[in-house]
Amino acid sequence: MDTSGKMGPIATSCAQVVAASERPTARNFGERAARIGRLVELGIRCPRTVAVSIDAVGAEHGGAAMDVSPVLDQFEPRPLLSVRSSPRFSRCGGVGVFLWVGLNNAALPMLAERIGRKRALHAYKRHIRNFAYRVHEVEIDSPSRQPGQSTRECEVEVGRLLESFRRKVGTEFPQSPSEQLRAAVRTMAKGWNKPSARLLRTARGFSGETGLGLVVQEMVLCRSSRGMRVWSSQAINVETGRKDFRVGIGEQANSADIATADSEVALSRGWEDELRRIHDKLRRSLADEIQLRFADDGTDVFVLEYGVLQKSVAAEVRVAVELVQAGVIDKQDALLRIDPENLASLLHPQVSPEANNRVIAKGIAASPGAASGAIVFSSSAADVRAARSQGCILVRAETGPEDIRGMHIAQGVLTGRGGMTSHAAVIARGLGVPCVAGATNIDFWPQSGALVTDEGNIFREGDTITIDGTAGVVLEGAAPTLPPDYGRAVRQFLDWADCCRDLGIRANADTLDEVKIALRFGAEGVGLCRTEHMFFDESRLTVMREMIFASTPAERRQSLEKLLPMQRGDFLQLFQSLPGKPVCIRLLDPPLHEFLPPDQDELATLLPPPPLHEFLPPDQDARADLAEAIGLSLEQLTARAEELKEFNPMLGLRGVRLGISVPEIYEMQARAIFEAAAEATARGISVSPEIMVPLVTANREVVLVKRQIDQVAEEVRASTGVDFEFELGVMVETPRAALRAGELAANATFLSFGTNDLTQLTYGISRDDSARIVDEYVRLGVFPADPFSRIDREGVGELLQLAVSRGMDTRPDLLLSLCGEHAASADTIEFSRQAKFSYVSCSPFRVPIARLAAAQAAIRQRRAAG
Ligand code: PEP
Ligand code: MG
């Protein structure tokens, strides 16, 4: 058989021989034709091919009958052809193939000679039946192949089918190849333009008007005992990306699950070397891994087409790395191939695409990954499960300090309230625990040990559910999962990203475990250590509460004395695990009530109406326990709790306001930081502490805190005899701080933008209750996106820019960063680079995402600049 590369040009504008010198374009002939053109150009053996143009197929549908003789001329004297669709874009679907076009009574002997008489007769039967059905929409009810039929019986059946065709269609079965080809073209053009096909295209995101070209190919004839088949081959495993050469029977060009049963048969025919060469050529030419479809004539392989393999993210990364190593693409091209957000699936287990568990709730995808376990409604219930080595999912209306222990134990977290920046979301992301937050379509009845879905299904403590924190859904039962894959290829890939980026990436980390994860994922330091998280451990919570309930500064100091060594130990551990790396420590931020057990009223708001109320444990007990633990009477404790009560605690006594009104707290924290720094320095560890003041609104706040901190630093230097350096900075998270950044920069060497609070305060929308409002607003188009997930460049962004320019006017070497939950998203990273920030700081598990996003932003900018 000739390859098409040796053929001469065709004398028509509506069709084109696919030849090395004349590669059909996808625009004019569709993607399949263009791909065959590439095969021919690469010298890969293909069946002789003519491409019919999109215009010609369109004209055919419009009523202008196509002159097929120039096409047929290319295949004379006895054309036996396949006609396949070649849509402008392969992904918009196609129309079924016509095989054996040209097969007629006269061609039968030639075919019989090539593939055997009986198989030729079977092919003819199939062709007649298919033609009647596709072209005339008439069914000829004879099975195309009956097992054990003799050649004679096949001949009789062909006669019967021809007769049946005449009777049912009303004409003779067309013997003329041109008539058959014209009918095939007409039928395919009609099929492409059917309303259902147009709708399907639209559903796939393409225009209904997308054009269709056709590919007319010589059939590859094979006298094999196994019959003629289309084979499929691929060179890698699509899940892992590892080399894994397979051949199978394949009809689907893009099927990932290629049958392996026939691999040995196929490979025993001696094709392996040739196929590997073809794969290699195409990999180099296309810079990707492909799936081949090919046929054989008993000796040689003829490639019919190829498609780029659909791969998992792990496989995408591995293929990109190997293409760089093979010199096919450069590192920058490799880095641009992967959507940074998709890396999340390499860092956490994911729900398998094969899972078919029922979705029982939807919420915000607050922390990625998948986990299954028994429902528990409290930290102590999580403890019980852990003691029995059982996995569990912590289910809460919303989480608070009391739940941190449970969140550490549980495999996943589900809350009924809260958005991307809620307590549950922030903590879960830090821990790398999958979390769905703000699941509004279920009712939480934690005290009665149940959650109830919209459909009225009740799930009780102990029932198994799966959290899919990547998709933001909760599934019934234990869904199958795929393991994470942070292997060598991913690490290599991210090392390249580091060489390309110019924005620093730090992590928000409060515990040693988080620091370890952050370092493993490539963080360059800690950009936000929320010190309050260090007090949520049970042993410290009581001392913290004792401090809160102290009635005099002297009493308070006594409690703080107990906390001091604990904090010092925390910071020393941090410095030791991050030698030479910057550690930005935020002084205590949340209102003190966050450290207290929730009171009766607060609990009541989380619960459904009576009678379930009756299941409430009397809150008095919790208070009595606490009173006893800290040596107060219940009355004293209740009175103090009343004093601390605020209508709007998040806008109340928190952040630097707390530091100023209860100065002993920041003093203790500063001392703990400096003593730890002195000790680390004395041990030869280089430390770079940065102290950050939260929720600032006025310059005087910074002045007061700075004075106090400088004094403590001097005292510690004097008492330890160790000299150490530190930086003092401001967390810009109120609009006023952004506007007054010029003034603040006089006393701060760095500004770190806390975009969670800054978004909350700029919009005046509570970050913990935002889910419901924002969902609706996004749906109605009021907001283009959730501003707590995607930075609002217009409003919040303008405040950031103002702060940057005012701050830099005062202090040109001001260090700028962003540490809100937006930090790792590509959009924020692009913004941060443009705004000349030094770094962004995000949850440890998002560090790889941020590294890649930062590299991509830098590469794109360099490329745009030429
Ligand atoms: C912020 O407000 O953006 C921030 C990082 O701090 P937190 O989330 O702890 O309030
Ligand atoms: Mg904040």
Side-chain angles (χ1 to χ4, degrees):
M1 180 186 279
D2 282 345
T3 64
S4 48
K6 293 178 188 155
M7 296 174 67
I10 193 168
T12 170
S13 61
C14 68
Q16 179 179 316
V17 174
V18 181
S21 55
E22 265 183 296
R23 185 164 145 191
T25 61
R27 175 183 291 274
N28 294 334
F29 291 89
E31 277 191 357
R32 189 191 296 258
R35 287 180 187 174
I36 295 171
R38 183 187 289 266
L39 292 169
V40 172
E41 198 175 72
L42 290 171
I44 294 171
R45 194 187 300 110
C46 304
R48 185 184 299 185
T49 306
V50 170
V52 176
S53 72
I54 288 174
D55 283 351
V57 178
E60 172 73 43
H61 182 63
M66 182 179 149
D67 176 11
V68 296
S69 49
V71 178
L72 280 174
D73 286 350
Q74 301 295 328
F75 300 100
E76 290 298 358
R78 286 260 171 263
L80 286 181
L81 309 172
S82 68
V83 186
R84 293 179 202 270
S85 55
S86 176
R88 168 71 185 89
F89 305 104
S90 305
R91 278 178 301 120
C92 62
V95 193
V97 58
F98 265 89
L99 297 176
W100 300 115
V101 172
L103 182 53
N104 53 17
N105 294 344
L108 197 58
M110 179 277 283
L111 183 62
E113 205 176 297
R114 298 284 300 277
I115 67 170
R117 176 132 187 100
K118 194 160 147 190
R119 289 177 50 225
L121 287 165
H122 280 311
Y124 198 17
K125 285 188 297 180
R126 178 179 166 179
H127 180 42
I128 301 165
R129 230 163 50 100
N130 185 47
F131 199 89
Y133 184 68
R134 298 275 305 277
V135 177
H136 298 287
E137 295 171 10
V138 167
E139 255 184 89
I140 299 180
D141 49 4
S142 157
S144 66
R145 184 168 198 145
Q146 286 158 3
Q149 254 186 343
S150 68
T151 308
R152 180 70 205 125
E153 283 165 340
C154 284
E155 279 166 355
V156 171
E157 201 193 336
V158 166
R160 250 196 248 125
L161 283 173
L162 288 172
E163 174 53 30
S164 177
F165 189 99
R166 184 182 318 117
R167 246 187 312 107
K168 292 198 173 173
V169 175
T171 60
E172 293 290 341
F173 175 73
Q175 292 292 321
S176 142
S178 65
E179 204 177 319
Q180 288 186 15
L181 180 56
R182 210 174 304 120
V185 171
R186 195 173 54 243
T187 304
M188 291 175 84
K190 190 169 148 203
W192 181 253
N193 286 290
K194 278 203 307 218
S196 56
R198 284 170 173 272
L199 265 178
L200 194 66
R201 287 201 282 285
T202 319
R204 288 179 174 163
F206 295 91
S207 157
E209 300 304 313
T210 306
L212 177 76
L214 296 174
V215 159
V216 182
Q217 269 186 331
E218 192 167 34
M219 301 265 310
V220 181
L221 305 178
C222 174
R223 179 192 278 273
S224 143
S225 59
R226 297 180 66 89
M228 284 169 41
R229 30 181 68 134
V230 172
W231 303 90
S232 171
S233 63
Q234 61 192 45
I236 60 156
N237 176 308
V238 290
E239 283 304 331
T240 63
R242 288 176 201 282
K243 297 272 181 250
D244 182 12
F245 190 79
R246 284 167 182 229
V247 178
I249 301 166
E251 276 304 324
Q252 296 287 336
N254 239 341
S255 160
D257 44 27
I258 182 168
T260 53
D262 280 281
S263 273
E264 279 171 26
V265 179
L267 295 179
S268 69
R269 294 187 178 182
W271 300 332
E272 182 165 350
D273 286 349
E274 183 175 0
L275 286 171
R276 282 185 188 274
R277 266 196 302 277
I278 297 173
H279 272 278
D280 200 50
K281 256 188 193 172
L282 282 167
R283 179 189 304 113
R284 287 175 177 278
S285 168
L286 293 159
D288 213 333
E289 285 290 343
I290 47 100
Q291 186 173 53
L292 273 190
R293 292 180 72 239
F294 64 95
D296 74 291
D297 65 358
T299 317
D300 289 321
V301 160
F302 289 80
V303 177
L304 303 179
E305 66 166 340
Y306 64 82
V308 170
L309 271 179
Q310 302 289 328
K311 307 176 269 310
S312 71
V313 183
E316 290 282 5
V317 172
R318 182 178 287 274
V319 167
V321 168
E322 287 178 359
L323 287 169
V324 173
Q325 286 162 344
V328 178
I329 56 174
D330 66 21
K331 290 174 186 166
Q332 301 195 354
D333 286 329
L335 291 168
L336 289 174
R337 285 178 167 216
I338 310 289
D339 178 346
E341 291 293 336
N342 287 347
L343 288 184
S345 68
L346 305 180
L347 316 176
H348 306 271
Q350 300 295 322
V351 169
S352 160
E354 272 148 36
N356 55 6
N357 302 55
R358 191 159 59 103
V359 173
I360 55 170
K362 290 188 180 158
I364 287 178
S367 177
S372 304
I375 294 174
V376 292
F377 290 102
S378 65
S379 293
S380 43
D383 267 337
V384 174
R385 294 274 161 190
R388 293 190 212 141
S389 304
Q390 292 170 347
C392 63
I393 304 293
L394 181 67
V395 177
R396 303 286 290 160
E398 65 183 350
T399 61
E402 303 281 328
D403 302 307
I404 303 259
R405 191 164 45 88
M407 292 178 78
H408 271 276
I409 299 168
Q411 277 63 41
V413 177
L414 166 63
T415 68
R417 290 215 217 144
M420 277 308 274
T421 63
S422 62
H423 178 270
V426 171
I427 301 284
R429 276 198 297 278
L431 295 173
V433 172
C435 172
V436 172
T440 47
N441 60 335
I442 40 178
D443 281 333
F444 286 80
W445 296 355
Q447 299 303 320
S448 58
L451 54 91
V452 184
T453 68
D454 264 358
E455 289 146 16
N457 296 318
I458 299 179
F459 290 83
R460 298 195 180 278
E461 178 138 349
D463 289 348
T464 301
I465 57 172
T466 298
I467 296 291
D468 182 345
T470 309
V473 295
V474 184
L475 306 170
E476 186 174 21
T481 55
L482 299 176
D485 179 355
Y486 190 67
R488 191 140 34 109
V490 184
R491 289 201 301 272
Q492 170 72 84
F493 186 75
L494 289 169
D495 284 349
W496 293 338
D498 291 345
C499 295
C500 292
R501 69 182 159 86
D502 50 14
L503 181 73
I505 309 293
R506 295 199 203 172
N508 296 351
D510 323 314
T511 63
L512 267 196
D513 284 347
E514 287 178 358
V515 168
K516 276 188 203 145
I517 297 167
L519 289 175
R520 179 166 163 250
F521 287 155
E524 294 155 280
V526 167
L528 173 62
C529 169
R530 294 172 161 108
T531 50
E532 58 272 19
H533 293 170
M534 295 169 161
F535 298 111
F536 289 150
D537 186 83
E538 200 118 1
S539 59
R540 297 175 180 200
L541 205 51
T542 308
V543 187
M544 188 70 183
R545 286 168 172 171
E546 195 180 279
M547 186 275 291
I548 294 168
F549 287 105
S551 43
T552 64
E555 268 178 35
R556 187 170 304 121
R557 255 180 227 288
Q558 270 178 12
S559 314
L560 287 165
E561 290 285 296
K562 291 189 206 162
L563 288 173
L564 176 67
M566 300 176 185
Q567 279 266 272
R568 191 172 49 228
D570 293 333
F571 296 134
L572 185 58
Q573 278 188 327
L574 273 185
F575 297 148
Q576 279 173 328
S577 52
L578 291 154
K581 293 197 161 56
V583 182
C584 182
I585 298 165
R586 178 177 77 183
L587 300 174
L588 200 70
D589 178 26
L592 291 180
H593 87 280
E594 284 209 5
F595 298 95
L596 303 183
D599 68 17
Q600 184 90 14
D601 293 346
E602 198 174 336
L603 272 178
T605 63
L606 308 184
L607 289 170
L612 283 158
H613 243 118
E614 289 163 18
F615 294 92
L616 257 180
D619 182 49
Q620 287 300 88
D621 284 355
R623 290 189 174 192
D625 287 349
L626 176 62
E628 195 185 323
I630 62 178
L632 289 183
S633 71
L634 187 57
E635 291 68 36
Q636 283 171 314
L637 183 116
T638 308
R640 180 80 177 117
E642 282 305 309
E643 264 172 51
L644 285 175
K645 204 163 172 179
E646 294 180 290
F647 280 109
N648 222 333
M650 292 313 281
L651 297 179
L653 190 61
R654 59 169 285 213
V656 66
R657 299 165 202 168
L658 183 65
I660 286 174
S661 62
V662 192
E664 300 86 351
I665 298 178
Y666 280 10
E667 188 195 322
M668 179 279 286
Q669 289 198 296
R671 189 173 299 281
I673 294 169
F674 295 140
E675 287 181 357
E679 195 167 333
T681 309
R683 290 187 196 178
I685 300 163
S686 128
V687 290
S688 326
E690 298 167 354
I691 299 180
M692 182 154 74
V693 189
L695 212 81
V696 165
T697 51
N699 187 39
R700 183 80 186 141
E701 291 169 325
V702 185
V703 171
L704 291 176
V705 171
K706 182 172 172 0
R707 187 184 300 160
Q708 180 190 31
I709 286 177
D710 284 342
Q711 190 186 328
V712 176
E714 272 318 304
E715 286 169 15
V716 175
R717 283 189 188 110
S719 65
T720 60
V722 180
D723 200 12
F724 52 82
E725 294 300 317
F726 73 96
E727 304 289 337
L728 185 84
V730 166
M731 192 162 178
V732 177
E733 47 186 348
T734 66
R736 192 172 193 284
L739 293 170
R740 305 301 300 162
E743 211 182 353
L744 300 178
N747 292 301
T749 56
F750 66 90
L751 299 183
S752 184
F753 294 94
T755 47
N756 302 335
D757 273 313
L758 192 56
T759 302
Q760 162 168 263
L761 296 173
T762 304
Y763 277 81
I765 294 180
S766 152
R767 59 195 257 192
D768 296 313
D769 302 306
S770 65
R772 218 178 280 261
I773 306 163
V774 169
D775 277 0
E776 180 76 348
Y777 264 36
V778 171
R779 197 178 59 74
L780 294 172
V782 181
F783 295 163
D786 177 352
F788 290 97
S789 301
R790 183 161 180 192
I791 195 143
D792 156 44
R793 285 197 182 213
E794 288 176 354
V796 176
E798 187 171 356
L799 278 171
L800 293 182
Q801 263 155 352
L802 267 178
V804 169
S805 76
R806 291 179 185 180
M808 302 272 277
D809 280 351
T810 305
R811 188 187 285 267
D813 62 347
L814 189 65
L815 188 89
L816 298 161
S817 63
L818 190 150
C819 62
E821 293 303 316
H822 304 87
S825 75
D827 192 51
T828 308
I829 282 181
E830 192 190 279
F831 177 91
S832 302
R833 283 188 71 250
Q834 283 163 3
K836 305 266 181 292
F837 288 10
S838 296
Y839 70 89
V840 294
S841 186
C842 55
S843 316
F845 279 90
R846 289 190 62 78
V847 166
I849 296 169
R851 287 163 71 195
L852 178 57
Q856 291 186 348
I859 295 168
R860 289 204 179 100
Q861 193 196 30
R862 276 198 290 272
R863 290 195 172 179

